[in-house]
Structure formats: structure tokens, C-alpha cells
Amino acid sequence: MSDTNTQGPLALVVDDSTVVRRMVCAMLRAQGFSTCEASDGIELLEQVARQDVELVITDLNMPHMDGLTACRQLRASRGELPLIMLTTYQNQTNEALAGGVNVVLIKPVNGQVLAKAIEQARLACGV
């Protein structure tokens, strides 16, 4: 875990690529979020259990536990938590949405696209 800012709502960024995690965290901090990081679905679930996470942005394909499996478990236990999936494979969008993810973004993303996705995910969850 890496807390990089403690001012705004806490967003968890999950990706097995350190570069992607840091890039997404920087975009989130520019939008007023606090951030923490995880490298796979197992760490994602552990972080959400330990902290007051208000947004999850996760990669789909990761070792140990993929993002979709983790999101399905989160949706069952925390239905109101906004979930955004990042993937490089557009053909996985329908499966992710059916698994409870609010928004799927194709990598790479920029700050404006991410901001709109966050708004959409929050609205979908009523937060």
C-alpha cells in the first residue's frame, strides 16, 4: 500500500504495472482524491477491508486474482462502491459490466476520460 495524499476521498488503484498505478494515482490526486495502491485482486480485497475506500479503479488481467473476480466479490459485499475497470482488451467490456463493474475504460486513459468515468460510476452507485 502506498498512501500518496490524504486530503480527499480515498481511491484504490489496482494494477500489476507500477507505472500504470502511479500514472492513474497522479490523475486522481489532480482531481482531489487521496490514493492507495495494490498490485492484484487479493490485495484489492485486503485494502478495501482495512480502509474506507470510496472508489476502486482496477486492471482486469493480473496475477493471483484478476480484477473481475475481485470486483464480483466487492459488488456482493459493498454494492454501493463505484468500480471502474481498466483493460487493453475491448472484447472484455461486456463480461466486466455483467460482473458488476460500473464503467470499463480501454487503456491508456487520460484525466478527462477518467473524470467522466468516475462521475458515471458514482451516479450508478448513488454516491
Side-chain angles (χ1 to χ4, degrees):
M1 175 182 87
S2 148
D3 286 315
T4 53
N5 179 358
T6 57
Q7 298 300 313
L10 183 61
L12 173 60
V13 178
V14 188
D15 200 297
D16 54 331
S17 165
T18 303
V19 172
V20 171
R21 284 195 316 265
R22 301 259 164 90
M23 185 176 63
V24 173
C25 283
M27 286 185 249
L28 288 165
R29 286 190 307 273
Q31 296 176 34
F33 284 89
S34 300
T35 60
C36 59
E37 301 176 24
S39 62
D40 63 42
I42 294 170
E43 288 182 24
L44 182 163
L45 295 173
E46 290 170 352
Q47 293 277 4
V48 170
R50 282 197 311 258
Q51 300 186 75
D52 188 22
V53 173
E54 296 182 42
L55 170 70
V56 173
I57 299 174
T58 183
D59 187 20
L60 177 58
N61 296 311
M62 297 178 290
H64 309 296
M65 179 188 288
D66 65 54
L68 185 55
T69 300
C71 284
R72 284 182 177 134
Q73 290 183 29
L74 281 178
R75 187 57 70 218
S77 64
R78 296 229 7 227
E80 80 291 350
L81 184 63
L83 303 174
I84 297 174
M85 179 77 61
L86 301 177
T87 183
T88 55
Y89 304 104
Q90 192 159 5
N91 64 342
Q92 295 175 318
T93 299
N94 289 339
E95 181 182 6
L97 293 171
V101 173
N102 300 109
V103 179
V104 178
L105 297 176
I106 306 301
K107 293 180 189 177
V109 300
N110 64 43
Q112 290 178 327
V113 170
L114 185 58
K116 288 181 182 184
I118 292 168
E119 183 179 330
Q120 183 180 353
R122 285 175 143 179
L123 286 172
C125 291
V127 293

